[in-house]
Amino acid sequence: KKIVGVRKKKEKEEKKGLAPHKLQLLFTIVQRNKAEFYTDLIQQFGANMQMSLLASGTADSRMLHYLGIEGSEKSVIISVIREDSAQEVLSAIEEKFNTVRNGKGIAFTVPLTSTIGVAVYKFLCNSRSQLGDI
């Protein structure tokens, strides 16, 4: 009976638009000189928190030449996005991978299963003004 009651409460909250949004971590690996471009692109989708890390690819020069990749200096951009916008963000990134010169890379998401603190959660899901108190 408790489970049914919790589900009904959750359904009511979802109808009111007050249900918490699930979050995901978006990892985007790109050439270093394109990191700012992709950070700006992802921010357009409401990512309030992003971190860019310097990285280096592991392929040798023959493999880089074979794949048509210039250099191995990379940036790993870690962004927190809402699950309901993940597909839209990934589609936009994929479109840029296919159209921007030397803009190829890798992007994937991982579920973020918990956060501590209502204010932190509201900031991360970019809904501080929409949810009120959770």
Side-chain angles (χ1 to χ4, degrees), residues 59-70:
D60 66 11
S61 60
R62 292 186 322 237
M63 183 59 73
L64 292 174
H65 179 69
Y66 177 74
L67 296 173
I69 299 173
E70 298 177 10

Side-chain angles (χ1 to χ4, degrees), residues 93-112:
I93 292 170
E94 181 180 24
E95 190 265 327
K96 296 301 181 186
F97 283 168
N98 293 325
T99 59
V100 172
R101 184 175 184 196
N102 296 324
K104 299 203 180 321
I106 299 168
F108 60 92
T109 60
V110 176
L112 184 63

